[in-house]
Amino acid sequence: MRRILLAIILASVSFNSFAQGQIREVFERTYISTDKAVYVSGDRIWCSAFCIDTKSDKLSQFSSTAYLELVSDGNIVQTAKVALEAGRGNGYIDIPESTPTGNYRLVAYTAVNKNEEGLDILDGSKVVSILNPYNTTRLKGKVDIASEENYKALESSSPENAGKLKASYSAVASQSNSTTIKLSNEESSPVSVSVSVYHNDGIVSPANKSMAEMNYSSVVPGKYVQNVVPDFEGEVIYATLVGKDAQKIIADKDATAYISSPGCMEDTYVTTISSDGKLAFKTYNIFGDKDLVCEIADMNDESLVGSISLDSPFINFANVDVPNLVISEHIAPAVIARGASMQLFNRQYADSLRQFVGRKENMPYLINDAKVYELDDYTRFPSVKEVLVEILQEARVRGHGDKTRIQVMATNGSDDNAGNWKTSLVLIDGVPVFKHKDMMDYDAMLLKAVEIWPSSYFFASKTYDGVINFVSKSGNMAYMDFASNVKIVDFKGACYPMEYTERHNPNNEQDMRQTILWKPEVEIAPGEEMSLECLLPSYSGKFDVVVEGITSEGKPLYYKSTFNK
């Protein structure tokens, strides 16, 4: 018998250990490096996350999700999630176009931080400046206009370079359209760094500590209280059972809660319902913004009405101190105009400027031994029942009316390959369908394929003898009717890891990029040298190169240099 979905089983083991107090107290702090510190509204803040275990000063091996909030003036402007692997991850926050001019604080934390009473993680947060090129809206009382002389006096010295990590670049002339950034690691251990090259437009950046200036071993943590399950393998999605029959559903010990994402079979999770109606889905990180199907199933009385309401995973650091933005009356208009041009360029060439990078894959949902029926290879039938009878050899339908059951002939894995017909898990586009009659009424002409796994599978506390997945042509369960206990909600998943990379411009259009190069996760071995090609923009100016990160031994690194084009 093949037993898959070990991810869910392991998550249950981790949860039990946590509940029994068998897991050591973990204190983490998350540092975010960004591609620059000055943005325009509508821009994207590129982020690289370093999750540090404060007891060792090394990258944490514990949490798998970081939560980001962009806040100011009592408001949460934007949020994001970054998937972590061995303490590292990358993502972004898109600044809304309506964001007023001002300074904002970027706060990052993990679920582990929610287990600290008296939490104080703002010291490691980052302040960014945002200018709005579309209107003159400013954060009330948060923007100061300075004379050119006084503004120049605000310029602070850059943090001192720290660590034996060096960057150099080829000679850059005004007519050159590219340069090569050469990185060399002279440390005795591997380093993990972010690399940014951006235009220094003359706006004074807000004062921020570099990673090398952070002293996490001196952090005084709050009192450790086990409030939430840490994100061991991915985000733990919390929810609450609501509805007029919520208490009756809670009393039904067989009732089970499911969440799933259409088209993504690996994004299907199940959990039991606690006595207070709370739910915790232990996931392996769901990536991207998706529709999430939330279902209550397996109830003895199917007439009960209830649904799943997802809880926000964010702490909401609204009332935080943010220093005023100071701008010069002479420099700001020119920078804002350039920012608007940059936005237009980014929108036109967004697909070519952003490149996906590798990410940790979810643990396999099913063993790759499915029998796949491509329905266009057969005579097309109008009903699912006819497809089951005429085409699918490993599946059948039994019963009638509301008692209809679709079954898969599940093998027991022994040499005699004997089969049995029992309860099977039925899906459409990866979303469970528990009332099989609903599937029987589905228009088979909307289906592209049928996938069948003829083995027995554990699905948390449930066991299914065989799995059958009906794949629609649209991939999103088009025209499928679900019961009232099924809700489809918008869900913000973890950012797809991406880097902002150079692309040559074949049509010679004006290149108005402000961020020239962004590599969020660069690994360099001891003694290794690495070269990164950097395509320069159309305009001339001063450009900064910033590299920061950490060695495998926990030594923070920072390096900054400047060149002119």
mmCIF file of all heavy atoms in Angstrom, residues 124-163:
data_model
loop_
_atom_site.group_PDB
_atom_site.id
_atom_site.type_symbol
_atom_site.label_atom_id
_atom_site.label_comp_id
_atom_site.label_asym_id
_atom_site.label_seq_id
_atom_site.Cartn_x
_atom_site.Cartn_y
_atom_site.Cartn_z
ATOM 1 N N GLY A 124 14.696 46.426 13.939
ATOM 2 C CA GLY A 124 15.265 45.835 12.732
ATOM 3 C C GLY A 124 14.476 46.121 11.478
ATOM 4 O O GLY A 124 14.797 45.600 10.408
ATOM 5 N N SER A 125 13.447 46.960 11.590
ATOM 6 C CA SER A 125 12.651 47.277 10.406
ATOM 7 C C SER A 125 13.371 48.308 9.545
ATOM 8 O O SER A 125 14.360 48.905 9.956
ATOM 9 C CB SER A 125 11.271 47.786 10.828
ATOM 10 O OG SER A 125 11.394 48.977 11.583
ATOM 11 N N LYS A 126 12.833 48.543 8.374
ATOM 12 C CA LYS A 126 13.486 49.443 7.420
ATOM 13 C C LYS A 126 12.533 50.557 7.029
ATOM 14 O O LYS A 126 11.337 50.328 6.797
ATOM 15 C CB LYS A 126 13.892 48.648 6.168
ATOM 16 C CG LYS A 126 14.683 49.449 5.140
ATOM 17 C CD LYS A 126 15.080 48.584 3.967
ATOM 18 C CE LYS A 126 16.083 47.525 4.357
ATOM 19 N NZ LYS A 126 17.405 48.070 4.684
ATOM 20 N N VAL A 127 13.056 51.795 6.967
ATOM 21 C CA VAL A 127 12.275 52.943 6.525
ATOM 22 C C VAL A 127 12.556 53.193 5.050
ATOM 23 O O VAL A 127 13.714 53.244 4.624
ATOM 24 C CB VAL A 127 12.616 54.197 7.354
ATOM 25 C CG1 VAL A 127 11.847 55.420 6.834
ATOM 26 C CG2 VAL A 127 12.292 53.973 8.823
ATOM 27 N N VAL A 128 11.493 53.332 4.258
ATOM 28 C CA VAL A 128 11.635 53.648 2.835
ATOM 29 C C VAL A 128 10.861 54.926 2.544
ATOM 30 O O VAL A 128 9.858 55.232 3.200
ATOM 31 C CB VAL A 128 11.128 52.497 1.934
ATOM 32 C CG1 VAL A 128 11.948 51.242 2.163
ATOM 33 C CG2 VAL A 128 9.645 52.222 2.162
ATOM 34 N N SER A 129 11.342 55.678 1.561
ATOM 35 C CA SER A 129 10.669 56.914 1.140
ATOM 36 C C SER A 129 9.884 56.643 -0.139
ATOM 37 O O SER A 129 10.377 55.974 -1.051
ATOM 38 C CB SER A 129 11.696 58.021 0.890
ATOM 39 O OG SER A 129 12.414 58.324 2.069
ATOM 40 N N ILE A 130 8.656 57.178 -0.198
ATOM 41 C CA ILE A 130 7.808 57.004 -1.373
ATOM 42 C C ILE A 130 7.354 58.381 -1.844
ATOM 43 O O ILE A 130 6.844 59.185 -1.058
ATOM 44 C CB ILE A 130 6.582 56.122 -1.057
ATOM 45 C CG1 ILE A 130 7.043 54.719 -0.631
ATOM 46 C CG2 ILE A 130 5.655 56.031 -2.264
ATOM 47 C CD1 ILE A 130 5.911 53.806 -0.198
ATOM 48 N N LEU A 131 7.564 58.658 -3.138
ATOM 49 C CA LEU A 131 7.110 59.902 -3.751
ATOM 50 C C LEU A 131 5.983 59.575 -4.718
ATOM 51 O O LEU A 131 6.060 58.600 -5.461
ATOM 52 C CB LEU A 131 8.255 60.584 -4.500
ATOM 53 C CG LEU A 131 9.516 60.904 -3.677
ATOM 54 C CD1 LEU A 131 10.590 61.495 -4.566
ATOM 55 C CD2 LEU A 131 9.179 61.853 -2.547
ATOM 56 N N ASN A 132 4.946 60.390 -4.703
ATOM 57 C CA ASN A 132 3.812 60.166 -5.591
ATOM 58 C C ASN A 132 3.936 61.083 -6.806
ATOM 59 O O ASN A 132 3.793 62.299 -6.684
ATOM 60 C CB ASN A 132 2.496 60.432 -4.852
ATOM 61 C CG ASN A 132 1.298 59.917 -5.630
ATOM 62 O OD1 ASN A 132 1.223 60.059 -6.846
ATOM 63 N ND2 ASN A 132 0.368 59.303 -4.931
ATOM 64 N N PRO A 133 4.196 60.522 -8.015
ATOM 65 C CA PRO A 133 4.374 61.358 -9.211
ATOM 66 C C PRO A 133 3.058 61.770 -9.850
ATOM 67 O O PRO A 133 3.056 62.524 -10.820
ATOM 68 C CB PRO A 133 5.165 60.440 -10.147
ATOM 69 C CG PRO A 133 4.719 59.072 -9.786
ATOM 70 C CD PRO A 133 4.454 59.104 -8.306
ATOM 71 N N TYR A 134 1.940 61.285 -9.323
ATOM 72 C CA TYR A 134 0.654 61.515 -9.975
ATOM 73 C C TYR A 134 -0.153 62.645 -9.344
ATOM 74 O O TYR A 134 -1.032 63.214 -9.975
ATOM 75 C CB TYR A 134 -0.174 60.226 -9.955
ATOM 76 C CG TYR A 134 0.583 59.054 -10.530
ATOM 77 C CD1 TYR A 134 1.077 58.056 -9.704
ATOM 78 C CD2 TYR A 134 0.840 58.982 -11.894
ATOM 79 C CE1 TYR A 134 1.793 56.987 -10.224
ATOM 80 C CE2 TYR A 134 1.554 57.920 -12.427
ATOM 81 C CZ TYR A 134 2.017 56.925 -11.584
ATOM 82 O OH TYR A 134 2.741 55.878 -12.101
ATOM 83 N N ASN A 135 0.106 62.959 -8.075
ATOM 84 C CA ASN A 135 -0.581 64.086 -7.435
ATOM 85 C C ASN A 135 0.282 64.611 -6.300
ATOM 86 O O ASN A 135 1.355 64.086 -6.019
ATOM 87 C CB ASN A 135 -1.972 63.680 -6.940
ATOM 88 C CG ASN A 135 -1.917 62.531 -5.943
ATOM 89 O OD1 ASN A 135 -1.233 62.613 -4.925
ATOM 90 N ND2 ASN A 135 -2.631 61.445 -6.226
ATOM 91 N N THR A 136 -0.187 65.639 -5.657
ATOM 92 C CA THR A 136 0.607 66.291 -4.604
ATOM 93 C C THR A 136 0.212 65.822 -3.213
ATOM 94 O O THR A 136 0.571 66.452 -2.224
ATOM 95 C CB THR A 136 0.436 67.821 -4.688
ATOM 96 O OG1 THR A 136 -0.966 68.137 -4.564
ATOM 97 C CG2 THR A 136 0.965 68.351 -6.013
ATOM 98 N N THR A 137 -0.516 64.712 -3.125
ATOM 99 C CA THR A 137 -0.948 64.206 -1.825
ATOM 100 C C THR A 137 0.259 63.825 -0.970
ATOM 101 O O THR A 137 1.178 63.159 -1.443
ATOM 102 C CB THR A 137 -1.853 62.982 -2.002
ATOM 103 O OG1 THR A 137 -2.941 63.340 -2.839
ATOM 104 C CG2 THR A 137 -2.379 62.504 -0.655
ATOM 105 N N ARG A 138 0.244 64.267 0.279
ATOM 106 C CA ARG A 138 1.327 63.932 1.208
ATOM 107 C C ARG A 138 0.725 63.434 2.515
ATOM 108 O O ARG A 138 -0.417 63.747 2.849
ATOM 109 C CB ARG A 138 2.209 65.159 1.494
ATOM 110 C CG ARG A 138 2.898 65.732 0.259
ATOM 111 C CD ARG A 138 3.545 67.060 0.580
ATOM 112 N NE ARG A 138 4.167 67.647 -0.597
ATOM 113 C CZ ARG A 138 4.609 68.909 -0.654
ATOM 114 N NH1 ARG A 138 4.500 69.690 0.410
ATOM 115 N NH2 ARG A 138 5.154 69.376 -1.758
ATOM 116 N N LEU A 139 1.511 62.648 3.239
ATOM 117 C CA LEU A 139 1.083 62.255 4.576
ATOM 118 C C LEU A 139 1.032 63.505 5.447
ATOM 119 O O LEU A 139 2.021 64.225 5.576
ATOM 120 C CB LEU A 139 2.053 61.234 5.171
ATOM 121 C CG LEU A 139 2.021 59.831 4.557
ATOM 122 C CD1 LEU A 139 3.091 58.965 5.194
ATOM 123 C CD2 LEU A 139 0.660 59.192 4.749
ATOM 124 N N LYS A 140 -0.125 63.763 6.028
ATOM 125 C CA LYS A 140 -0.333 64.996 6.784
ATOM 126 C C LYS A 140 0.662 65.111 7.928
ATOM 127 O O LYS A 140 0.773 64.225 8.770
ATOM 128 C CB LYS A 140 -1.765 65.024 7.318
ATOM 129 C CG LYS A 140 -2.132 66.345 7.982
ATOM 130 C CD LYS A 140 -3.585 66.333 8.405
ATOM 131 C CE LYS A 140 -3.964 67.647 9.067
ATOM 132 N NZ LYS A 140 -5.394 67.654 9.484
ATOM 133 N N GLY A 141 1.409 66.203 7.925
ATOM 134 C CA GLY A 141 2.361 66.456 8.993
ATOM 135 C C GLY A 141 3.593 65.588 8.959
ATOM 136 O O GLY A 141 4.377 65.586 9.917
ATOM 137 N N LYS A 142 3.789 64.832 7.874
ATOM 138 C CA LYS A 142 4.888 63.878 7.811
ATOM 139 C C LYS A 142 5.903 64.206 6.721
ATOM 140 O O LYS A 142 6.818 63.428 6.483
ATOM 141 C CB LYS A 142 4.334 62.467 7.581
ATOM 142 C CG LYS A 142 3.535 61.892 8.738
ATOM 143 C CD LYS A 142 4.421 61.607 9.936
ATOM 144 C CE LYS A 142 3.663 60.897 11.033
ATOM 145 N NZ LYS A 142 4.540 60.573 12.191
ATOM 146 N N VAL A 143 5.739 65.345 6.026
ATOM 147 C CA VAL A 143 6.663 65.727 4.953
ATOM 148 C C VAL A 143 7.146 67.144 5.202
ATOM 149 O O VAL A 143 6.346 68.066 5.394
ATOM 150 C CB VAL A 143 5.990 65.628 3.570
ATOM 151 C CG1 VAL A 143 6.967 66.054 2.478
ATOM 152 C CG2 VAL A 143 5.490 64.210 3.317
ATOM 153 N N ASP A 144 8.469 67.332 5.215
ATOM 154 C CA ASP A 144 9.076 68.641 5.405
ATOM 155 C C ASP A 144 9.811 69.066 4.141
ATOM 156 O O ASP A 144 10.485 68.237 3.500
ATOM 157 C CB ASP A 144 10.061 68.618 6.580
ATOM 158 C CG ASP A 144 9.392 68.227 7.899
ATOM 159 O OD1 ASP A 144 8.208 68.558 8.080
ATOM 160 O OD2 ASP A 144 10.066 67.573 8.725
ATOM 161 N N ILE A 145 9.678 70.337 3.763
ATOM 162 C CA ILE A 145 10.384 70.879 2.609
ATOM 163 C C ILE A 145 11.577 71.682 3.117
ATOM 164 O O ILE A 145 11.418 72.580 3.952
ATOM 165 C CB ILE A 145 9.479 71.782 1.757
ATOM 166 C CG1 ILE A 145 8.212 71.027 1.353
ATOM 167 C CG2 ILE A 145 10.228 72.272 0.525
ATOM 168 C CD1 ILE A 145 8.473 69.828 0.478
ATOM 169 N N ALA A 146 12.763 71.356 2.633
ATOM 170 C CA ALA A 146 13.989 72.018 3.092
ATOM 171 C C ALA A 146 14.621 72.789 1.947
ATOM 172 O O ALA A 146 14.441 72.452 0.767
ATOM 173 C CB ALA A 146 14.973 70.987 3.631
ATOM 174 N N SER A 147 15.360 73.840 2.305
ATOM 175 C CA SER A 147 16.135 74.559 1.297
ATOM 176 C C SER A 147 17.252 73.654 0.793
ATOM 177 O O SER A 147 17.601 72.658 1.435
ATOM 178 C CB SER A 147 16.731 75.830 1.894
ATOM 179 O OG SER A 147 17.697 75.495 2.892
ATOM 180 N N GLU A 148 17.805 74.012 -0.364
ATOM 181 C CA GLU A 148 18.849 73.171 -0.941
ATOM 182 C C GLU A 148 20.034 73.039 0.006
ATOM 183 O O GLU A 148 20.607 71.967 0.168
ATOM 184 C CB GLU A 148 19.308 73.772 -2.271
ATOM 185 C CG GLU A 148 20.157 72.837 -3.121
ATOM 186 C CD GLU A 148 19.350 71.674 -3.676
ATOM 187 O OE1 GLU A 148 18.109 71.767 -3.741
ATOM 188 O OE2 GLU A 148 19.967 70.658 -4.037
ATOM 189 N N GLU A 149 20.399 74.136 0.664
ATOM 190 C CA GLU A 149 21.548 74.123 1.581
ATOM 191 C C GLU A 149 21.279 73.209 2.777
ATOM 192 O O GLU A 149 22.116 72.380 3.144
ATOM 193 C CB GLU A 149 21.854 75.547 2.049
ATOM 194 C CG GLU A 149 23.050 75.633 2.994
ATOM 195 C CD GLU A 149 23.341 77.056 3.435
ATOM 196 O OE1 GLU A 149 22.640 77.979 2.956
ATOM 197 O OE2 GLU A 149 24.243 77.237 4.270
ATOM 198 N N ASN A 150 20.110 73.376 3.383
ATOM 199 C CA ASN A 150 19.781 72.541 4.538
ATOM 200 C C ASN A 150 19.594 71.080 4.150
ATOM 201 O O ASN A 150 19.902 70.178 4.930
ATOM 202 C CB ASN A 150 18.505 73.057 5.213
ATOM 203 C CG ASN A 150 18.712 74.405 5.890
ATOM 204 O OD1 ASN A 150 19.834 74.765 6.225
ATOM 205 N ND2 ASN A 150 17.621 75.148 6.070
ATOM 206 N N TYR A 151 19.098 70.878 2.927
ATOM 207 C CA TYR A 151 18.873 69.506 2.477
ATOM 208 C C TYR A 151 20.197 68.773 2.305
ATOM 209 O O TYR A 151 20.334 67.605 2.687
ATOM 210 C CB TYR A 151 18.098 69.513 1.161
ATOM 211 C CG TYR A 151 17.656 68.152 0.690
ATOM 212 C CD1 TYR A 151 16.660 67.465 1.366
ATOM 213 C CD2 TYR A 151 18.222 67.553 -0.428
ATOM 214 C CE1 TYR A 151 16.233 66.212 0.950
ATOM 215 C CE2 TYR A 151 17.810 66.304 -0.860
ATOM 216 C CZ TYR A 151 16.811 65.645 -0.166
ATOM 217 O OH TYR A 151 16.405 64.409 -0.584
ATOM 218 N N LYS A 152 21.178 69.448 1.725
ATOM 219 C CA LYS A 152 22.496 68.835 1.549
ATOM 220 C C LYS A 152 23.107 68.448 2.884
ATOM 221 O O LYS A 152 23.802 67.427 2.994
ATOM 222 C CB LYS A 152 23.433 69.810 0.830
ATOM 223 C CG LYS A 152 23.122 70.011 -0.641
ATOM 224 C CD LYS A 152 23.475 68.788 -1.453
ATOM 225 C CE LYS A 152 23.296 69.047 -2.936
ATOM 226 N NZ LYS A 152 23.578 67.818 -3.747
ATOM 227 N N ALA A 153 22.836 69.245 3.913
ATOM 228 C CA ALA A 153 23.404 68.968 5.233
ATOM 229 C C ALA A 153 22.810 67.712 5.855
ATOM 230 O O ALA A 153 23.378 67.153 6.800
ATOM 231 C CB ALA A 153 23.172 70.160 6.157
ATOM 232 N N LEU A 154 21.666 67.237 5.329
ATOM 233 C CA LEU A 154 21.025 66.046 5.884
ATOM 234 C C LEU A 154 21.699 64.753 5.443
ATOM 235 O O LEU A 154 21.467 63.696 6.030
ATOM 236 C CB LEU A 154 19.543 65.998 5.456
ATOM 237 C CG LEU A 154 18.635 67.089 6.021
ATOM 238 C CD1 LEU A 154 17.253 66.964 5.393
ATOM 239 C CD2 LEU A 154 18.543 66.977 7.529
ATOM 240 N N GLU A 155 22.493 64.850 4.376
ATOM 241 C CA GLU A 155 23.109 63.637 3.854
ATOM 242 C C GLU A 155 23.987 62.990 4.922
ATOM 243 O O GLU A 155 24.887 63.599 5.475
ATOM 244 C CB GLU A 155 23.945 63.950 2.614
ATOM 245 C CG GLU A 155 23.095 64.391 1.425
ATOM 246 C CD GLU A 155 23.942 64.557 0.181
ATOM 247 O OE1 GLU A 155 25.141 64.197 0.233
ATOM 248 O OE2 GLU A 155 23.415 65.042 -0.834
ATOM 249 N N SER A 156 23.686 61.749 5.213
ATOM 250 C CA SER A 156 24.450 61.024 6.227
ATOM 251 C C SER A 156 25.459 60.115 5.547
ATOM 252 O O SER A 156 25.286 59.717 4.398
ATOM 253 C CB SER A 156 23.512 60.198 7.111
ATOM 254 O OG SER A 156 22.768 59.304 6.312
ATOM 255 N N SER A 157 26.507 59.825 6.268
ATOM 256 C CA SER A 157 27.521 58.937 5.703
ATOM 257 C C SER A 157 26.963 57.518 5.609
ATOM 258 O O SER A 157 26.162 57.091 6.432
ATOM 259 C CB SER A 157 28.783 58.947 6.571
ATOM 260 O OG SER A 157 28.456 58.571 7.895
ATOM 261 N N SER A 158 27.406 56.811 4.589
ATOM 262 C CA SER A 158 26.937 55.441 4.408
ATOM 263 C C SER A 158 27.511 54.542 5.496
ATOM 264 O O SER A 158 28.571 54.837 6.065
ATOM 265 C CB SER A 158 27.375 54.921 3.036
ATOM 266 O OG SER A 158 26.809 55.695 2.008
ATOM 267 N N PRO A 159 26.830 53.455 5.821
ATOM 268 C CA PRO A 159 27.389 52.506 6.787
ATOM 269 C C PRO A 159 28.757 52.017 6.319
ATOM 270 O O PRO A 159 29.026 51.902 5.118
ATOM 271 C CB PRO A 159 26.362 51.370 6.788
ATOM 272 C CG PRO A 159 25.103 51.987 6.273
ATOM 273 C CD PRO A 159 25.533 53.037 5.310
ATOM 274 N N GLU A 160 29.616 51.741 7.275
ATOM 275 C CA GLU A 160 30.945 51.262 6.922
ATOM 276 C C GLU A 160 30.868 49.846 6.364
ATOM 277 O O GLU A 160 30.073 49.022 6.811
ATOM 278 C CB GLU A 160 31.851 51.289 8.156
ATOM 279 C CG GLU A 160 32.173 52.689 8.656
ATOM 280 C CD GLU A 160 33.178 52.658 9.789
ATOM 281 O OE1 GLU A 160 33.696 51.547 10.082
ATOM 282 O OE2 GLU A 160 33.460 53.712 10.365
ATOM 283 N N ASN A 161 31.714 49.606 5.359
ATOM 284 C CA ASN A 161 31.785 48.255 4.804
ATOM 285 C C ASN A 161 32.279 47.296 5.870
ATOM 286 O O ASN A 161 33.161 47.623 6.678
ATOM 287 C CB ASN A 161 32.706 48.217 3.590
ATOM 288 C CG ASN A 161 32.131 48.986 2.409
ATOM 289 O OD1 ASN A 161 30.920 49.199 2.347
ATOM 290 N ND2 ASN A 161 32.972 49.399 1.481
ATOM 291 N N ALA A 162 31.692 46.095 5.887
ATOM 292 C CA ALA A 162 32.046 45.108 6.907
ATOM 293 C C ALA A 162 32.182 43.744 6.258
ATOM 294 O O ALA A 162 31.356 43.348 5.437
ATOM 295 C CB ALA A 162 30.992 45.065 8.003
ATOM 296 N N GLY A 163 33.234 43.031 6.631
ATOM 297 C CA GLY A 163 33.433 41.683 6.097
ATOM 298 C C GLY A 163 34.328 41.663 4.884
ATOM 299 O O GLY A 163 34.545 42.672 4.215
#
